Amino acid sequence: MRILTAGESHGPQLTAIIEGLPSQLPIDKSLINAELKRRQGGHGRGRRMVIETDQVQIVSGVRHGKTTGAPVTLVIENRDWKNWTSIMTSDPIENPDEVKKQVTKPRPGHADLNGGLKYNHRDMRNVLERSSARETAMRVAIGAIAKQFLSHFGIDVAGRVINIGGVVDTETVPESIEELKERTENSPVRCLDKKAEEKMINVIDEAKKNGDSIGGVVEVIVNNVPAGLGSFAHYDRKLDAKIAMSVLSINAFKGVEFGIGFDAANRPGSEVHDEILWNEEEGYTRRTNRLGGFEGGMTTGMPIVVRGVMKPIPTLYKPLQSVDINTKEPFSASIERSDSCAVPAASVVCEHVVALEIAKAVSDKFAGDYLEEKIASFEAYKKHLLNF
Ligand code: FMN
């Protein structure tokens, strides 16, 4: 599967082309829109999310509700575009110096300065527009298609927030993924523990009041993944590595761990590795899942548990010091309409980028140009797992 996304934050639209989906895959647009809505919610988001009510359009590769095997093109319009047409026009302009909303005071922590230096943009809006997390709306839409694909293999993906600004939700994940979904859906910060929820909301409000921002940690769980997705045979086929790359590619994500993750450094091997068991019904299973569903770059058949840490958002209403690139004088950094905390939204994004990597791995392993062919290959492999 190959994927390309394009589009600026205040341009006319976001676009994606997905190549390599099997034909005959039913696509439900309303499920994609429901996921887009989930990304737009959460306590701590700014005004922009009120303007945008994201809706996907499918403009190629799907006919009468099913994929045809041709590239699928998705479009999400930016409703805010109508307020930015002259600033963001693709047509040549006579007086570039007179363009409004130029960015000349780069924000520490954002892509502005490095992008300006690299591409020689003296108006760093050219950087901001593409480096903005607006792009993650399209990644959710793509992941929503990946989730629909995975549902035919019984694979389910859910996520939750476990830390916002140092307030940690220590509640154990319920065994039923449906319960996990229901409880996080009912939380404005997407966590499980109601006491932690209240404290998280307070730290977000406090940060907002102070013109500051806060980050956190999100967790994604993938259930019913068969053992043997990914490969040990070459470094770029290791599925945990691919997932790590995808998670780190989300704007503001700075670290990834699987299972007990960094805590593995503090434990002896006997308290890290997952003992192997066997029974007739399930075949091979593990006593524990401390390694989060991965060994040797391959899935173990246990749930995948992956966490990502998000740094606080760079745009601050009480801005940090920067330099005006025209005068070289010290200045407060630019302010662009911004969230004070986007961790709940980021947990939705994280679910979807993980779903896409799993969908790619499933699609690679189970041959077939149409969905039923892939499912037949998957069923045959499941028999092999039981008989091994
Ligand atoms: N950064 C901002 O400055 N303002 C925002 O409103 C904002 N919203 C975000 C929403 C989501 C869902 C995510 C995942 C990130 C958001 N960010 C926001 C983070 C920036 O996009 C990110 O920090 C920036 O692209 C620089 O990349 P880096 O932090 O990965 O180095």
Side-chain angles (χ1 to χ4, degrees):
M1 233 184 272
R2 288 184 296 170
I3 283 138
L4 206 56
T5 73
E8 278 72 38
S9 180
H10 298 98
Q13 65 182 49
L14 303 170
T15 311
I17 300 180
I18 311 170
E19 193 274 328
L21 283 168
S23 67
Q24 312 301 343
L25 171 68
I27 299 290
D28 184 341
K29 214 160 69 167
S30 70
L31 292 179
I32 306 176
N33 288 333
E35 298 288 10
L36 290 173
K37 192 162 180 215
R38 289 177 69 225
R39 190 198 76 100
Q40 294 193 272
H43 195 77
R45 304 223 67 189
R47 274 266 315 142
R48 175 80 193 267
M49 286 305 110
V50 182
I51 297 170
E52 303 291 352
T53 16
D54 290 333
Q55 297 278 308
V56 75
Q57 294 167 41
I58 303 174
V59 296
S60 81
V62 178
R63 185 159 178 252
H64 305 160
K66 285 189 176 177
T67 54
T68 61
V72 172
T73 307
L74 306 179
V75 167
I76 300 171
E77 279 179 18
N78 290 324
R79 306 236 158 138
D80 209 7
W81 155 246
K82 60 179 186 303
N83 305 316
W84 291 77
T85 45
S86 61
I87 299 171
M88 291 301 294
T89 179
S90 59
D91 294 332
I93 45 164
E94 265 173 33
N95 300 312
D97 291 345
E98 284 167 24
V99 173
K100 291 194 184 127
K101 296 221 181 241
Q102 297 207 21
V103 178
T104 60
K105 304 172 187 82
R107 293 163 296 171
H110 221 298
D112 309 343
L113 181 59
N114 307 324
L117 290 166
K118 178 176 167 68
Y119 291 101
N120 198 20
H121 290 309
R122 298 212 56 88
D123 175 4
M124 289 174 290
R125 175 156 301 283
N126 285 326
V127 179
L128 176 160
E129 285 291 331
R130 180 67 187 149
S131 64
S132 157
R134 178 82 190 121
E135 198 256 356
T136 61
M138 190 47 95
R139 300 197 57 199
V140 168
I142 298 163
I145 289 185
K147 279 186 176 180
Q148 291 183 39
F149 171 72
L150 290 174
S151 71
H152 295 276
F153 301 85
I155 299 173
D156 211 351
V157 186
R160 65 169 182 147
V161 167
I162 54 178
N163 179 335
I164 288 185
V167 178
V168 181
D169 180 350
T170 51
E171 190 131 337
T172 2
V173 178
E175 250 183 44
S176 141
I177 208 158
E178 283 313 315
E179 185 187 334
L180 171 63
K181 285 183 191 174
E182 198 186 307
R183 285 172 61 189
T184 50
E185 228 48 51
N186 285 325
S187 165
V189 285
R190 298 198 164 279
C191 77
L192 291 171
D193 177 22
K194 286 289 162 197
K195 280 199 185 114
E197 174 183 298
E198 201 185 313
K199 287 187 196 153
M200 285 176 184
I201 290 172
N202 287 343
V203 290
I204 294 171
D205 290 346
E206 190 63 23
K208 192 170 179 184
K209 203 172 75 198
N210 298 333
D212 217 327
S213 62
I214 43 175
V217 178
V218 304
E219 180 175 84
V220 175
I221 292 156
V222 191
N223 266 5
N224 302 328
V225 185
L229 292 185
S231 175
F232 61 90
H234 203 67
Y235 67 87
D236 61 357
R237 293 210 221 149
K238 295 185 179 193
L239 184 55
D240 47 0
K242 289 184 186 184
I243 291 175
M245 193 287 238
S246 271
V247 172
L248 277 188
S249 77
I250 304 172
N251 309 47
F253 273 60
K254 295 296 137 194
V256 187
E257 61 177 15
F258 292 87
I260 57 167
F262 278 48
D263 190 31
N266 309 318
R267 303 186 188 195
S270 56
E271 289 173 26
V272 170
H273 303 296
D274 301 307
E275 285 183 315
I276 301 171
L277 311 172
W278 185 89
N279 69 67
E280 209 153 333
E281 243 168 64
E282 300 167 286
Y284 297 94
T285 62
R286 303 305 176 103
R287 196 186 299 282
T288 51
N289 187 27
R290 295 183 285 224
L291 291 178
F294 278 104
E295 283 168 348
M298 296 165 293
T299 49
T300 61
M302 295 298 282
I304 294 174
V305 181
V306 52
R307 278 185 287 277
V309 58
M310 182 183 188
K311 76 183 186 187
I313 274 170
T315 307
L316 304 181
Y317 282 99
K318 228 186 247 169
L320 295 176
Q321 191 183 315
S322 181
V323 171
D324 188 304
I325 62 162
N326 291 334
T327 63
K328 309 292 190 284
E329 294 289 326
F331 257 105
S332 293
S334 293
I335 300 176
E336 184 82 5
R337 193 159 42 203
S338 186
D339 307 321
S340 49
C341 175
V343 176
S347 92
V348 176
V349 177
C350 200
E351 266 175 46
H352 286 83
V353 303
V354 172
L356 177 61
E357 285 309 323
I358 309 290
K360 281 183 184 169
V362 167
S363 192
D364 283 351
K365 180 152 174 62
F366 304 112
D369 295 306
Y370 56 95
L371 181 64
E372 293 76 6
E373 211 179 0
K374 283 194 183 293
I375 293 173
S377 164
F378 175 70
E379 293 301 334
Y381 181 69
K382 278 208 311 200
K383 279 198 191 116
H384 157 77
L385 291 179
L386 277 181
N387 294 332
F388 183 81

